[in-house]
């Protein structure tokens, strides 16, 4: 009968019990056979001699002696072996011992033997075996080079293919043995083979095809094994040799092929660098790729340039989609977030500029006649990507691009109005969408609009533009109202309470300053436009400005008492102090007698009013029975 499951379980339990008993007897035997301790009065036995301690370098880390013995002598031996092979080839050539074909064939066979010995020793001596494999590949490489350059019985094209195959074979061995140094050596051999075989000559298109094939194959190997050093060697060689052989000099490659070459290397390197977080590789791929694209482009380009630019932007979009906070929100945490790196942010922000450049080259005359159109075209997809889902990086680029488009497209006040509208929309969308990033874009756009208004627009303001109700003044009042709206709640409250309070207080102060100095400027403009004599206009304007400052200060103090906001009262007192200094220092020395009396009178009345408000507030705090 077949054995049942219960019988097998019982037999297994019996074996486990027997094994436990055996282990228990083995652990108890030393204690049972140990000698009994001697009495304290007996003569102590001398301690047993310790076993000799092996030197430190026989196990564990490497010290200087072992490093010299294992690594230093190994490097010297490999170098000497390669030099010996080279000298032997040269000596055989000089003395005519054997034919050139036999010399090169013998060198290749010798290199293969050395590599085979290294392969055989690698499982036991990893570093030693890998060094012999590299040495063998170098000897074969040298033999092929001699067959092409010294003896000339192998054409340069065939020699280049042979060296490429040797490099790929060495890369395959490096992949199988997981030795990064061999992978880096294979990359150097593959990319520098064209320089060694035909320096300054050759077909630039064929060279780019060869380099692209080598870069793709070796890049896949480095990416699969996560080899940083090998990837850097591949990227530097890919763009460096490609630029020298295909993008510069008289032998420039076909623009379409050079464009494809730059896109392939830039995109692949960017993807790998972003995935592995290798900063140097990202830099080489980004700047090298765009440099080759630019060198392949003339003053006018077709749709291929747009396609190339879109492909170059794809890895950065992919990274930003995977990590929506390509840089974090907030202030100081910007420098400490684990996912944030300055390199990724710089490339993400530079890419829209490159895209706008590629778009403009499609029709330069058209885009020159419509300034800002290229920026608007770039900003729309970024804006959609940033607001379909909360992606602050895309939203910021999109809103910035639209702001730049407005700045470039509309002259004068129209650009300022557009910036204010975009800023208001960014702040307003935070509330229904539950976002917290639009408020920062709104502040930045509003500041840019006000700088444009008080700088460029003020300098070009028409002489006939009326005070207070002119187009420039109306835009100023609109900006002031928007800043006040931020303080009143349009700027969405999120985060720590004291941070939000500080921002809103700053917005109140900004709105107050805009109102104070905006009205001041309009008062002076009003008297200049409506008074025949300049001196009379200055006198009347000076008195009116002093009165306005004092009234504004009294209004702020009254508002501060009504709302129980100390910051507003203190701001009002600051304005009052500023007005007092103006009256005592400027008005008393520059105004006529009547204007001087009026200025001092207004100062006294407002000061008494402020004192009355403070006394009344103090009395209101005193208990009624006191």
């Amino acid at each position: 009968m077949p054995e049942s499951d219960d019988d097998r379980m019982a037999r297994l339990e019996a074996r486990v019990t027997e094994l436990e008993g055996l282990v228990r007897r083995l652990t108890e035997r030393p204690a049972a056979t140990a000698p009994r301790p001697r009495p304290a009065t007996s003569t102590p036995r001398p301690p047993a001699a310790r076993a000799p301690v092996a030197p430190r370098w026989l196990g564990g880390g490497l010290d200087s002696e072992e490093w010299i013995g294992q690594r230093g002598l190994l490097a010297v031996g490999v170098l000497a072996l390669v030099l010996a092979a080279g000298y032997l080839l040269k000596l055989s050539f000089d003395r005519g011992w054997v034919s050139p074909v036999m010399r090169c064939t013998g060198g290749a066979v010798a290199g293969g033997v050395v590599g085979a010995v290294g392969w055989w020793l690698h499982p036991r001596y990893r570093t030693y075996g890998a060094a012999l494999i590299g040495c063998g590949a170098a000897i074969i490489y040298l033999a092929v080079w001699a067959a092409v350059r010294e003896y000339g019985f192998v054409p340069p094209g065939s020699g280049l293919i042979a060296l490429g195959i040797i490099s790929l074979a060495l890369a395959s061995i490096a992949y199988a043995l997981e030795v990064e140094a061999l992978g880096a050596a294979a990359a150097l051999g593959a990319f520098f083979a064209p320089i060694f075989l035909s320096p300054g000559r050759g077909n630039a298109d064929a060279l780019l095809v060869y380099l692209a094939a080598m870069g793709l194959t070796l890049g896949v190997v480095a990416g699969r094994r996560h080899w940083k050093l090998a990837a850097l060697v591949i990227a530097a060689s890919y763009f460096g040799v490609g630029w020298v052989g295909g993008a510069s000099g008289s032998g420039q490659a076909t623009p379409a092929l050079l464009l494809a070459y730059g896109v392939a290397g830039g995109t692949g390197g960017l993807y790998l660098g972003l995935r592995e977080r290798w900063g140097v590789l990202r830099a080489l791929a980004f700047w090298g790729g765009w440099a080759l694209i630019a060198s392949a482009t003339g003053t006018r380009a077709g749709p291929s340039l747009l396609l190339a630019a879109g492909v170059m932007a794809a890895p950065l979009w992919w990274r930003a989609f995977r990590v929506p906070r390509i840089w974090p929100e907030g202030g100081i945490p910007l420098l400490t977030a684990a996912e944030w790196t300055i390199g990724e942010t710089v490339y993400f922000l530079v890419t829209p500029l490159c895209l706008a450049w590629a778009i403009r080259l499609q029709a330069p005359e058209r885009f020159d006649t419509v300034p800002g159109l290229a920026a608007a075209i770039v900003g729309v997809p970024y804006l959609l990507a940033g607001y379909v889902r909360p992606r602050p990086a895309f939203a910021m680029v999109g809103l910035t691009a639209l702001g730049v488009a407005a700045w470039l497209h509309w002259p004068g006040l129209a650009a300022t109005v557009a910036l204010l509208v975009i800023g208001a929309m960014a702040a307003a969308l935070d509330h229904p969408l539950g976002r917290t990033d639009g408020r920062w874009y709104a502040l930045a756009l509003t500041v840019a609009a006000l700088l444009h208004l008080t700088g460029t627009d003020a300098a070009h303001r028409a002489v006939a533009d009326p005070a207070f109700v002119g187009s420039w003044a109306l835009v100023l009042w609109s900006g002031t109202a928007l800043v006040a709206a931020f303080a009143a709640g349009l700027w969405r409250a999120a985060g720590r309470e004291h941070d939000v309070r500080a921002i809103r207080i700053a917005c109140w102060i900004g709105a107050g300053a805009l109102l104070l100095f905006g009205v001041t400027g309009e008062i002076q403009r009003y008297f200049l436009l409506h008074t025949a004599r300049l001196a009379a206009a200055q006198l009347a304007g000076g008195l009116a400005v002093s009165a306005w400052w004092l009234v504004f200060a009294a209004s702020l103090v009254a508002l501060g008492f009504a709302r129980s906001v100390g910051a507003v009262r203190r701001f009002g007192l600051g304005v009052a102090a500023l007005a007092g200094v103006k009256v005592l220092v400027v008005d008393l020395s520059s105004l006529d007698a009547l204007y001087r009396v009026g200025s001092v009178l207004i100062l006294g009345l407002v000061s008494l009013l402020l004192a009355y408000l403070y006394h009344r507030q103090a009395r209101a705090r005193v208990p009624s029975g006191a």
Side-chain angles (χ1 to χ4, degrees):
M1 293 180 63
E3 187 178 17
S4 64
D5 293 340
D6 295 337
D7 294 338
R8 285 196 294 269
M9 290 297 297
R11 186 155 51 83
L12 181 60
E13 290 178 356
R15 290 181 178 179
V16 172
T17 303
E18 182 181 358
L19 181 60
E20 289 178 349
L22 178 61
V23 172
R24 189 180 301 109
R25 288 193 299 273
L26 289 175
T27 55
E28 292 177 353
R29 181 176 300 173
T33 59
R36 294 181 180 179
R38 293 177 176 269
T41 56
S42 61
T43 304
R45 294 178 59 186
R50 295 183 178 180
V53 179
R56 178 181 178 274
W57 57 268
L58 291 181
L62 298 176
D63 63 3
S64 58
E65 179 184 351
E66 186 184 15
W67 191 94
I68 294 174
Q70 288 190 4
R71 306 291 174 83
L73 294 179
L74 179 61
V76 172
V78 168
L79 181 61
L81 197 59
V82 174
L83 291 176
Y87 289 146
L88 180 61
L89 286 174
K90 186 177 186 305
L91 184 63
S92 64
F93 173 75
D94 293 339
R95 300 189 178 184
W97 288 343
V98 291
S99 65
V101 176
M102 294 300 298
R103 299 167 196 160
C104 296
T105 304
V109 171
V113 171
V114 173
V117 172
W119 179 274
W120 178 66
L121 291 176
H122 181 270
R124 288 173 290 175
Y125 309 104
R126 178 178 175 84
T127 304
Y128 190 83
L132 288 183
I133 293 173
C135 176
I139 294 174
I140 299 174
Y141 196 96
L142 185 62
V144 175
W145 173 85
V148 177
R149 293 288 296 162
E150 290 294 331
Y151 306 134
F153 64 84
V154 175
S158 302
L160 182 62
I161 295 175
L163 292 184
I165 294 174
I166 295 170
S167 300
L168 293 180
L170 183 60
S172 301
I173 295 173
Y175 182 85
L177 301 181
E178 300 184 17
V179 179
E180 184 178 6
L182 289 180
L188 288 175
F191 284 103
F192 282 88
I195 299 176
F196 293 153
L197 293 183
S198 56
R201 302 191 304 272
N203 190 322
D205 291 346
L207 173 65
L208 289 186
V209 172
Y210 168 82
L211 294 177
M214 293 295 106
L216 175 63
T217 307
L218 297 173
V220 170
V221 171
R224 293 288 298 273
R225 287 300 185 193
H226 309 283
W227 288 342
K228 182 178 180 180
L229 175 62
L232 294 180
V233 171
I234 294 169
S237 304
Y238 182 94
F239 293 108
V241 179
W243 177 268
V244 173
S248 63
S250 58
Q252 187 173 12
T254 304
L257 183 60
L258 184 60
L259 185 69
Y261 181 83
V263 172
T267 305
L270 266 179
Y271 171 78
L272 183 60
L274 291 170
R275 189 191 72 180
E276 302 292 339
R277 310 296 298 273
W278 294 339
V280 179
L281 180 59
R282 288 195 305 260
L284 288 173
F286 184 85
W287 300 114
W290 279 111
L292 290 175
I293 291 174
S295 66
T297 306
T299 57
R300 183 185 294 272
S304 58
L305 177 60
L306 279 181
L307 178 62
V311 173
M312 280 291 293
L316 293 164
W317 277 57
W318 164 81
R319 173 65 179 171
F321 280 161
R322 287 172 56 90
V323 185
R325 292 173 62 197
I326 196 169
W327 72 86
E329 302 173 26
I332 300 301
L334 191 99
L335 303 177
T336 58
E339 293 181 341
W340 177 81
T341 60
I342 190 171
E344 292 182 10
T345 303
V346 168
Y347 307 140
F348 186 84
L349 296 179
V350 172
T351 296
L353 302 178
C354 299
L355 292 174
W357 164 77
I359 291 173
R360 181 190 170 277
L361 287 184
Q362 302 304 305
E365 297 82 3
R366 171 64 176 170
F367 285 100
D368 288 344
T369 56
V370 186
L373 180 58
I377 294 175
V378 171
V380 170
Y382 276 92
L383 197 62
L384 292 176
Y387 274 93
V388 169
R389 291 185 58 186
R391 296 187 180 98
F394 287 92
M396 192 209 70
V397 172
L399 288 171
T400 302
L402 292 184
V404 171
W407 190 298
L408 295 176
H409 181 68
W410 284 294
L413 292 173
T416 303
V417 173
L419 291 174
L420 291 176
V421 171
I422 297 172
M425 291 176 59
L429 286 175
D430 278 356
H431 296 272
L433 299 180
R435 300 173 65 113
T436 57
D437 57 319
R439 53 187 185 162
W440 300 109
Y441 315 144
L443 286 179
L445 289 168
T446 303
V447 170
L450 294 174
L451 291 176
H452 193 278
L453 178 67
T454 57
T456 305
D457 296 340
H460 295 86
R461 187 177 183 182
V463 177
D465 189 41
F468 293 105
V469 294
S471 56
W472 189 93
L474 292 178
V475 175
L476 176 62
W477 310 143
S478 300
T480 305
L482 180 58
V483 177
F486 289 157
L490 183 60
W491 198 84
R492 185 167 183 260
R496 293 176 293 184
E497 182 179 354
H498 65 278
D499 291 340
V500 174
R501 182 177 176 84
I503 292 294
R504 289 187 169 175
I505 289 175
C507 289
W508 281 124
I509 294 175
L514 287 172
L515 183 60
L516 174 64
F517 294 108
V519 173
T520 299
E522 294 305 296
I523 289 174
Q524 294 174 337
R525 183 178 185 84
Y526 175 83
F527 284 103
L528 288 175
L529 292 176
H530 293 82
T531 304
R533 293 188 303 115
L534 178 61
Q538 292 176 345
L539 291 175
L543 176 60
V545 167
S546 299
W548 158 242
W549 285 13
L550 292 169
V551 170
F552 184 77
S555 302
L556 287 179
V557 173
L559 179 62
F561 280 127
R563 297 290 184 178
S564 299
V565 180
V568 176
R569 296 195 303 269
R570 288 188 288 272
F571 185 63
L573 289 178
V575 175
L578 187 62
V581 172
K582 179 182 181 301
V583 171
L584 297 176
V585 176
V586 178
D587 293 355
L588 293 181
S589 61
S590 61
L591 298 182
D592 267 348
L594 185 59
Y595 290 105
R596 187 182 306 167
V597 171
S599 179
V600 176
L601 178 61
I602 294 173
L603 175 62
L605 292 176
V606 173
S607 300
L608 290 176
L609 176 60
L610 294 178
Y612 170 75
L613 291 175
Y614 274 94
H615 278 81
R616 190 179 70 172
Q617 183 68 18
R619 182 176 180 81
R621 290 198 300 265
V622 177
S624 58

